[in-house]
Amino acid sequence: MNEYRVKGLSCGNCALGLEQQIKQLEHGESASLSYNSGKLKLDPRVSLPDVEQILKSDHAYIDLHSHPAQHNKHEHAHESNHDHTHDHSHEHGNSKMVKLLIVSAILYGVAYISGDQVYSGIQIGMYAAAIVLSGYSTFVRGLRNLFALRFNIDTLMTIALAGAVAIGEWKEATLVAVLFGLNELLEGLGMEKARRSMETLLKAAPKEAVKLENGREAVVPISSLTIGDLVIVKPGEKIPSDGVVMSGKSSVNEAAITGEALPIEKENGAPVFGGSINNEGVLHIRIEKAYKDSSLAKILHLVEEAQETKTPTELFINKFAKYYTPIIMMVSVLVILVPPLLVGGDWSKWVYQGLAVLIVGCPCALILSSPIAIVSGITRNARNGILIKGGVFLEQLGKIDTIAFDKTGTITKGEPHVEKMIVYREQQFLAVAGSIESTSSHPLAKAIMKKVAELGVDFMAPDEIQTISGRGITAVVQGKPYWLGNEQGMEHLTIPADVQTQIDDLKNEGLTLVLLADKEQVLGMFGIADEIRDESKTVIAELHRAGIRKTVMLTGDHQKTAEKVAKSVGVTSTFGNLLPEDKVNRIKQLSLHGKVAMIGDGINDAPALATAQLGIAMGKGTDSAIETADIVLMQDHLGKLPEAVSVAKRVNSIIRFNIGVSLGLKLVALLLTIPGWLTLWMAILSDMGATIFVTLVSFTVLIGPNKR
């Protein structure tokens, strides 16, 4: 599919109409036009001049700064940044429209104030000039649509204004034309602002890099970089693509990828993300991924894609709008005909009422109820390093009432640490344990060595060492034999009852035990656990406050270990000893009683992520997480999750509120026809007021308070 950027789309309903017309062209069945992102996707065989002609009917056009791109998962993901250039022609069009509306408003004001003091022909001339200046483009589009029997807002406005002029309502017709022009301008600006907020986010993409080759520096476009290239990044510059620091030391701002404001220290061997900003030192970086495969390129591509997916609510609104306008047109005809024919009403009065009803038939505010709020919500979360792959997933996140967590690496750090230590022989215990474990790379050994280092204990290298599978290690330190490991490794001893009681107590707490003994007795023991993340307890509490009814922890660990972690962080229930297929079954059971999101690391939890209504991966930019889940937390913690849930719930409530306001104002306008009180300007204000209102309310998603 070829992809184009379309400018000048006047409203969501009009974009739907244009899409339907393009679909009717030869090979156009698969075409899609997104009002949210302003993107048009076309089969390469579709006649572009025919498409341009259809777009021209709505004063829309294909942006000449953009070029067709093959649409696949990663290719051209902001390769040239052409999509993000400021469109001066569109800005010029807006300023021209503002000037025309000001002139039209002045003409209307002069004609209205002058009243009977001037010749009626001059007054009508001023009204006519104001109508033409503010509504010329509407009339042209409306007449074209009328001849093609397409009934959108332009067609309805053209019929209504022509009818008003025909019955001599010049003043009303002029006011409606000016208000409608203002409404169109504001509606276009509203969606443009939502797109601009997204484009500001997308500007994180770097454009050039300083490549080091044969000792020489050369500025090259990032698209030319290949794996293995060496680049220099100076203070204040963006890192061009994912890579590894080869030399230099600096702090790096990774906010564009993770949403974290605090800089991260980087030195030799440290991984870096493309798009992050180098703060102070000079870094030499070896490129590990071509830019189009980098974390940032994938994020930006997926964020853009997210704008184009239609949510169930949007699909319903679009379907509703298809039937709404024809029904209103039938109501308009009945309003014109029934009172004069059945009860002898005045034809002029009821024709006027019927024309006003036609204007109420515009579904623009209704169609605008959702897209600005959706784009704002996706943008807000993306700025926080939370990648939501589509409006449908944002809407789903707002409906979730149960969240299931993997334990290791999600609620916990996935790193063992010494939680408890019982010492019987203080002088020997830590020194000998450090001596033995210093030779091992086992995760439990690392936890013990970290504790030894914290306490500043000196130790010597062991004389001899031997690993016994499933039991631990035997070693000789300073000529004396020692045994380090689990209970099975202590078979040479008779463990006293009081020591056994302490062993049992630690096991009951869900701790993994490492004992140290010499020939005669146990010298001490370490109780080791997976370290709970500092923020986990706070996050769980905030999720419950945000409306999540049930939090569940699923883990392959022992049930007692799971219960201990669950109790300390505050999840409502936990299940231990689970294999991957057991996690899937638990998710299915939970789904019978609510809407479930599953949070994991995107690799070993993939089956459970796929089974849940919503899969959320903790990524820190990892490829597997970005590919697997519906939502990706680009940090390596859950800290931003409660805000994401709150934003999603807020977006859903705003959309519901917007729909209620849009339909409510129209219903009030229609009810005013019963006593014959509906006027043309009331009808246009019911739509205009709703449009402005839903736009402003939708923008509150972007400027709302941060939770953390």
Side-chain angles (χ1 to χ4, degrees):
M1 297 286 278
N2 282 347
E3 192 176 274
Y4 302 89
R5 180 75 63 153
V6 175
K7 297 286 185 179
L9 292 169
S10 58
C11 71
N13 193 40
C14 307
L16 277 175
L18 294 172
E19 182 184 83
Q20 290 306 314
Q21 291 179 60
I22 294 168
K23 282 178 181 285
Q24 288 167 16
L25 295 175
E26 190 177 3
H27 307 300
E29 304 84 7
S30 58
S32 69
L33 177 60
S34 169
Y35 179 59
N36 293 22
S37 62
K39 277 191 177 179
L40 170 66
K41 292 177 187 173
L42 282 177
D43 187 306
R45 296 171 294 174
V46 174
S47 166
L48 205 55
D50 288 348
V51 171
E52 288 176 325
Q53 193 63 37
I54 290 169
L55 293 174
K56 192 177 175 184
S57 70
D58 191 52
H59 284 252
Y61 56 93
I62 291 173
D63 181 16
L64 296 175
H65 293 292
S66 70
H67 60 72
Q70 295 305 312
H71 185 73
N72 63 39
K73 195 137 188 167
H74 307 307
E75 198 174 359
H76 300 287
H78 316 289
E79 198 168 53
S80 63
N81 294 286
H82 62 266
D83 281 342
H84 316 308
T85 55
H86 196 70
D87 184 54
H88 299 289
S89 59
H90 193 60
E91 192 178 68
H92 174 71
N94 285 339
S95 61
K96 182 183 175 185
M97 189 63 194
V98 170
K99 288 171 187 172
L100 289 174
L101 286 171
I102 291 170
V103 173
S104 299
I106 292 169
L107 284 170
Y108 172 79
V110 171
Y112 183 82
I113 293 166
S114 62
D116 298 330
Q117 297 170 21
V118 299
Y119 172 60
S120 62
I122 296 173
Q123 192 183 44
I124 288 171
M126 284 192 283
Y127 281 139
I131 290 172
V132 169
L133 287 173
S134 58
Y136 171 76
S137 60
T138 302
F139 305 144
V140 172
R141 293 197 300 264
L143 287 170
R144 280 182 189 150
N145 290 336
L146 189 58
F147 291 132
L149 296 177
R150 283 193 302 269
F151 293 95
N152 65 4
I153 181 56
D154 296 318
T155 321
L156 301 180
M157 285 298 298
T158 301
I159 295 169
L161 291 173
V165 168
I167 60 174
E169 293 286 349
W170 284 96
K171 184 168 62 178
E172 293 274 340
T174 308
L175 181 58
V176 167
V178 173
L179 288 175
F180 181 71
L182 180 61
N183 187 40
E184 269 204 315
L185 177 70
L186 292 174
E187 189 176 331
L189 287 173
M191 198 64 222
E192 192 65 25
K193 181 170 171 59
R195 292 189 196 117
R196 290 264 171 85
S197 70
M198 183 66 77
E199 288 175 6
T200 302
L201 175 78
L202 300 175
K203 283 175 185 171
K207 295 184 178 73
E208 296 175 327
V210 179
K211 184 178 174 182
L212 190 63
E213 197 168 17
N214 301 323
R216 292 184 180 179
E217 295 180 17
V219 178
V220 298
I222 58 164
S223 56
S224 69
L225 292 176
T226 56
I227 295 169
D229 284 349
L230 192 65
V231 296
I232 298 174
V233 183
K234 293 168 185 170
E237 292 181 347
K238 288 178 182 174
I239 293 168
S241 188
D242 294 6
V244 173
V245 176
M246 300 304 291
S247 66
K249 188 175 182 181
S250 181
S251 65
V252 171
N253 183 339
E254 296 182 343
I257 292 87
T258 66
E260 299 284 18
L262 293 176
I264 310 294
E265 294 297 325
K266 302 287 182 181
E267 54 186 14
N268 286 13
V272 288
F273 294 118
S276 49
I277 299 168
N278 181 22
N279 285 333
E280 61 275 332
V282 176
L283 294 175
H284 287 64
I285 295 166
R286 187 183 71 231
I287 298 299
E288 297 288 299
K289 290 179 183 175
Y291 176 71
K292 66 186 176 75
D293 296 322
S294 70
S295 299
L296 181 66
K298 288 176 182 175
I299 291 166
L300 298 185
H301 179 71
L302 288 168
V303 167
E304 275 206 307
E305 290 283 292
Q307 297 177 77
E308 295 167 40
T309 60
K310 286 188 171 68
T311 68
T313 303
E314 283 182 293
L315 292 169
F316 170 75
I317 290 171
N318 292 347
K319 194 172 182 182
F320 177 81
K322 255 171 76 176
Y323 299 105
Y324 172 77
T325 302
I327 289 169
I328 291 292
M329 288 179 70
M330 288 168 63
V331 171
S332 174
V333 171
L334 292 172
V335 167
I336 291 170
L337 297 177
V338 171
L341 292 175
L342 294 186
V343 294
D346 177 45
W347 278 100
S348 178
K349 176 188 175 181
W350 290 104
V351 166
Y352 176 85
Q353 290 285 301
L355 294 173
V357 169
L358 267 187
I359 295 173
V360 178
C362 165
C364 290
L366 182 64
I367 285 174
L368 207 63
S369 298
S370 180
I372 293 179
I374 290 285
V375 172
S376 298
I378 290 170
T379 304
R380 171 82 180 267
N381 280 315
R383 284 178 186 165
N384 282 335
I386 296 164
L387 175 59
I388 298 178
K389 293 186 181 179
V392 63
F393 302 122
L394 181 69
E395 189 173 287
Q396 188 79 293
L397 180 62
K399 294 176 180 176
I400 290 296
D401 57 19
T402 302
I403 297 182
F405 300 86
D406 172 47
K407 179 181 78 72
T408 307
T410 303
I411 287 177
T412 65
K413 292 181 178 179
E415 298 171 4
H417 80 123
V418 175
E419 188 166 306
K420 288 199 173 176
M421 191 171 68
I422 296 173
V423 183
Y424 302 115
R425 288 291 181 91
E426 196 168 330
Q427 290 183 337
Q428 291 171 274
F429 178 60
L430 284 170
V432 174
S435 175
I436 297 171
E437 295 288 43
S438 65
T439 64
S440 174
S441 59
H442 192 280
L444 296 181
K446 288 181 179 177
I448 290 169
M449 289 308 299
K450 189 176 177 183
K451 190 69 176 178
V452 169
E454 276 176 19
L455 297 172
V457 176
D458 293 324
F459 55 86
M460 297 177 66
D463 303 329
E464 294 176 28
I465 198 154
Q466 183 183 355
T467 301
I468 303 168
S469 181
R471 292 170 183 262
I473 297 170
T474 59
V476 176
V477 179
Q478 291 184 304
K480 283 188 68 178
Y482 294 94
W483 286 258
L484 183 139
N486 55 28
E487 282 180 89
Q488 285 74 29
M490 305 294 135
E491 287 180 343
H492 66 290
L493 289 177
T494 301
I495 296 176
D498 59 333
V499 174
Q500 187 62 52
T501 300
Q502 289 183 307
I503 289 172
D504 293 339
D505 288 345
L506 291 181
K507 282 165 70 178
N508 288 333
E509 288 181 37
L511 299 175
T512 300
L513 295 193
V514 176
L515 291 84
L516 176 66
D518 58 15
K519 272 185 181 180
E520 298 156 3
Q521 63 181 1
V522 175
L523 304 178
M525 66 188 86
F526 299 98
I528 297 176
D530 187 357
E531 190 171 0
I532 296 170
R533 293 179 180 275
D534 297 335
E535 76 282 355
S536 290
K537 185 175 182 178
T538 307
V539 166
I540 300 296
E542 285 184 359
L543 285 171
H544 287 151
R545 283 197 295 272
I548 300 300
R549 185 173 51 82
K550 196 173 184 184
T551 49
V552 182
M553 192 175 76
L554 308 177
T555 178
D557 272 4
H558 190 273
Q559 182 65 26
K560 283 188 176 175
T561 305
E563 285 170 0
K564 179 174 178 286
V565 173
K567 187 178 178 183
S568 63
V569 299
V571 295
T572 50
S573 57
T574 185
F575 301 95
N577 299 314
L578 300 180
L579 297 171
E581 56 266 32
D582 299 326
K583 288 185 181 181
V584 169
N585 291 331
R586 282 290 174 190
I587 293 290
K588 286 178 179 176
Q589 287 172 19
L590 291 168
S591 299
L592 297 173
H593 307 289
K595 295 189 181 297
V596 182
M598 170 71 191
I599 303 180
D601 62 11
I603 305 168
N604 60 354
D605 294 308
L609 289 172
T611 304
Q613 278 100 333
L614 201 62
I616 303 175
M618 294 183 61
K620 189 73 174 177
T622 59
D623 289 349
S624 57
I626 292 175
E627 299 291 344
T628 307
D630 306 316
I631 296 175
V632 183
L633 310 179
M634 298 305 291
Q635 314 87 22
D636 60 350
H637 60 75
L638 297 168
K640 301 288 179 86
L641 182 62
E643 186 182 347
V645 172
S646 296
V647 167
K649 287 184 179 293
R650 197 151 139 238
V651 166
N652 286 355
S653 63
I654 282 172
I655 290 170
R656 287 193 299 270
F657 182 69
N658 285 348
I659 291 169
V661 167
S662 303
L663 291 176
L665 284 174
K666 290 184 182 297
L667 181 61
V668 169
L670 288 173
L671 290 174
L672 288 174
T673 60
I674 296 170
W677 294 346
L678 183 63
T679 64
L680 288 172
W681 65 267
M682 280 183 189
I684 192 67
L685 276 178
S686 76
D687 186 66
M688 182 183 178
T691 299
I692 294 169
F693 190 75
V694 302
T695 300
L696 292 175
V697 169
S698 295
F699 276 132
T700 63
V701 176
L702 280 173
I703 59 174
N706 285 311
K707 282 273 182 190
R708 291 175 70 80

